Amino acid sequence: MSDRIFGVVGMLLAIGYVFAALAIEESFLSDAVGPKAFPFIIAAILGLSSLVIVLRPDAEPHWPALGRLVEVFASVVVLILYAEMLPVAGFVIATAFAAAYLAWRLGSSPLESVLVGVGTSVGIYVIFHLVLGLSLARGPWGF
């Protein structure tokens, strides 16, 4: 039953993508495809995949214990806080904290988690900002 519920939620999300794409105003300077094409493609793939899940569900899954579900929920909260803290703290700091927490929850020791968090954030910053020249969220210290 949970597969069918998941499939129906996916189909509703696909319908939401279609309505959101229809609300996009086209500019007179747009290309031949237009800005609505990508959301329509995503909606079609999501809708078809969800339809397959509804029509051919797997056997009932074994849900994890309550403690594991709480950990998953906590990780989702950390990722939401990460998105909220990016403009405030900047890419390097927000990514270091989020990556450290997720590494810790995946089984690293606290010291290893901090090293992974800092290494991940600095490594991504160096590659994407310094090497490739892409813009990342700046923090209070300018990086």
Side-chain angles (χ1 to χ4, degrees), residues 68 70-72 74-75 78 95-118 120:
R68 289 288 180 193
V70 169
E71 284 188 31
V72 170
S75 296
V78 165
T95 302
F97 278 104
Y101 175 79
L102 294 174
W104 175 60
R105 293 315 311 145
L106 287 172
S108 298
S109 70
L111 178 61
E112 290 172 334
S113 300
V114 169
L115 293 175
V116 166
V118 171
T120 300

Side-chain angles (χ1 to χ4, degrees), residues 48-139:
L48 290 172
S49 301
S50 299
L51 184 64
V52 169
I53 291 172
V54 168
L55 296 177
R56 297 186 57 204
D58 290 336
E60 274 301 308
H62 171 70
W63 286 92
L66 181 62
R68 289 288 180 193
L69 289 176
V70 169
E71 284 188 31
V72 170
F73 180 74
S75 296
V76 169
V77 169
V78 165
L79 292 175
I80 291 170
L81 288 174
Y82 171 68
E84 292 294 323
M85 291 306 295
L86 268 174
V88 176
F91 177 82
V92 174
I93 295 169
T95 302
F97 278 104
Y101 175 79
L102 294 174
W104 175 60
R105 293 315 311 145
L106 287 172
S108 298
S109 70
L111 178 61
E112 290 172 334
S113 300
V114 169
L115 293 175
V116 166
V118 171
T120 300
S121 66
V122 170
I124 292 173
Y125 180 81
V126 166
I127 291 170
F128 284 94
H129 185 70
L130 299 179
V131 175
L132 297 175
L134 299 175
S135 177
L136 298 174
R138 292 183 176 238

